Amino acid sequence: MRVNEIFYSLQGEGMRAGTANVFVRFTGCNLRCATESGPLSPGGFDCDTEFASGRTMKPDEIVCAALELTGATFPGVILTGGEPLLQVTPELVALFKNAGFSPICVETNGTVDPEGLGLDWITLSPKVAEHAVKVEHCNESKYVRHVGQGIPKPVASADHYLISPAFTDHGLDRETLAWCIKLVKENPKWRLSVQQHKTWGVR
């Protein structure tokens, strides 16, 4: 497996915000988010993570690295990227569970079916047209929104539906936040999710 980085921090967004987790960021993605729309991006935002570099690690080495970071505590694990489901296997998930970590979560763009991996929590954040989403059900479905963009019409069912205001290089734009608040007030099925880790000053 190619891994970009492994670190221990707090989840900053979504329904699990504020919880301690080991983040395993995998190298590589099958999409290229960009401001301008194209065949690999819906447009509207740039990717805010570096996931091109990495090192080759075996599944047991990944779990050992997580244990070194957390010691005798066994927090959740968040498999992220890039697109982690290009590499995540049932073996890796089982190794984390057998080591005592819980829950085992993934953050995916929805282009790869997670069925059969044994994951405990799936965060779906689509970056493609809905017809290309291969996730049928997830724990939370999260969409980034800019001013003027309407409420999504997800294909995948979810336990929780989240709207996240887009951040810029200068932080959270107040107009974008106000727009997302308006969307949630008009559509109470949805909940506002802000990238709190950026205001907390943690990764």
Side-chain angles (χ1 to χ4, degrees):
M1 295 178 171
R2 292 287 291 176
V3 177
N4 176 270
E5 61 177 343
I6 302 174
F7 60 97
Y8 187 29
S9 189
L10 301 184
Q11 172 62 287
E13 54 189 318
M15 300 301 296
R16 299 188 63 254
T19 61
N21 298 270
V22 172
F23 290 76
V24 180
R25 186 180 306 284
F26 288 89
T27 300
C29 187
N30 53 352
L31 301 178
R32 290 292 180 271
C33 295
T35 302
E36 298 299 324
S37 62
L40 297 180
S41 172
F45 56 90
D46 288 317
C47 186
D48 60 358
T49 56
E50 191 280 303
F51 52 81
S53 61
R55 55 180 172 140
T56 301
M57 300 181 71
K58 297 177 181 178
D60 61 318
E61 293 175 330
I62 295 173
V63 175
C64 284
L67 288 168
E68 290 177 3
L69 289 172
T70 60
T73 62
F74 299 98
V77 173
I78 296 178
L79 308 172
T80 187
E83 177 45 56
L85 292 184
L86 296 173
Q87 300 191 63
V88 173
T89 63
E91 177 192 5
L92 177 64
V93 175
L95 284 172
F96 269 119
K97 289 186 176 182
N98 291 338
F101 291 94
S102 181
I104 313 303
C105 314
V106 71
E107 297 179 339
T108 177
N109 62 31
T111 57
V112 181
D113 186 355
E115 186 70 25
L117 293 175
L119 296 159
D120 300 314
W121 186 274
I122 297 172
T123 298
L124 171 63
S125 185
K127 305 295 190 298
V128 292
E130 291 296 325
H131 71 269
V133 173
K134 296 182 179 180
V135 176
E136 293 184 359
H137 180 79
C138 57
N139 298 92
E140 58 182 5
S141 184
K142 179 167 60 70
Y143 288 76
V144 176
R145 280 295 180 262
H146 290 268
V147 174
Q149 290 184 302
I151 209 73
K153 296 180 180 179
V155 170
S157 63
D159 299 327
H160 308 281
Y161 296 89
L162 310 172
I163 290 293
S164 181
F167 269 72
T168 68
D169 293 338
H170 305 292
L172 178 59
D173 177 72
R174 304 304 297 183
E175 186 181 3
T176 303
L177 176 59
W179 176 260
C180 290
I181 290 173
K182 176 178 179 290
L183 286 178
V184 172
K185 289 172 71 175
E186 293 175 350
N187 302 271
K189 168 183 171 180
W190 294 77
R191 177 188 296 235
L192 183 70
S193 174
V194 180
Q195 294 181 322
Q196 299 175 78
H197 55 285
K198 293 184 177 179
T199 58
W200 296 339
V202 301
R203 303 184 62 191

